[in-house]
Amino acid sequence: ALGVPEAVPILVHSGALVADRGVLQIFEAFAQITTQAHLVFLGSGPEAETLLFQINESGLSGRVHLLPPVNPDEVSNTLAGADIGLCTIPRGFLSYEYCLPNKLFEYLQAGLALIVSDLPEMSRFVREKKVGVTYFPGNLASLIQAMRLLLEDVGLRNRFSRQSQELRQEVCWEQESRGYLSIYQSFDQGAE
């Protein structure tokens, strides 16, 4: 949809454009990347205006794109046009420390390689499933390093992407719902 040649990798951040989700740091890190690549922010929020200003001021308007949110049932298909999904959850809140956010699974459904915050559950999941790399949240140099690694090492990025594509059959609602249904059915049987 953006007219980016297929050989040029695209990083994507999907979700609310708010400061505490690292969107400004994502842009700051990407501005340091010299590898031919594009960055897409898919979503809306209070930082959209600041991002737009920074994009225009930096001269990166041809490589950084702000796209409006899409319907929930279109998210994974829209993300599938990218190569690397960014999940930049900060430290500092217990709920963040142990989260596995929806966007992580949306990226998997799209078959993307991942860059995620080095928080306990996200990093464990990404390492065990071999679908991406981690960075230290709040550390710009660490995020730049993770971006460069996946942008420059095409073989690694492709391995992570293939692993995501295989994993998406395992970590999807169709599989998860079976467990929930069996729990509900056990309650129904107990009531008889």
Side-chain angles (χ1 to χ4, degrees), residues 1-14 26 30 33 35-42 62-67 78-86 107 110-115 147 150-152 154 157-158 161:
L2 298 172
V4 176
E6 192 170 322
V8 177
I10 298 173
L11 297 106
V12 65
H13 175 276
S14 176
I26 290 171
F30 186 77
I33 299 295
T35 306
Q36 189 178 16
H38 284 250
L39 171 62
V40 173
F41 290 99
L42 179 65
R63 293 180 53 212
V64 180
H65 314 274
L66 292 178
L67 299 179
T78 302
L79 293 172
D83 300 282
I84 301 166
L86 296 157
Y107 294 153
L112 306 184
L114 305 179
I115 296 174
M147 285 181 176
L150 288 188
L151 288 171
E152 294 171 5
V154 178
R157 184 175 71 234
N158 288 341
S161 178

Side-chain angles (χ1 to χ4, degrees), residues 182-192:
S182 69
I183 292 169
Y184 287 124
Q185 290 168 348
S186 70
F187 285 119
D188 283 344
Q189 291 172 357
E192 291 176 2

Side-chain angles (χ1 to χ4, degrees), residues 24-37:
L24 299 177
Q25 189 172 58
I26 290 171
F27 175 78
E28 189 178 351
F30 186 77
Q32 303 298 313
I33 299 295
T34 56
T35 306
Q36 189 178 16

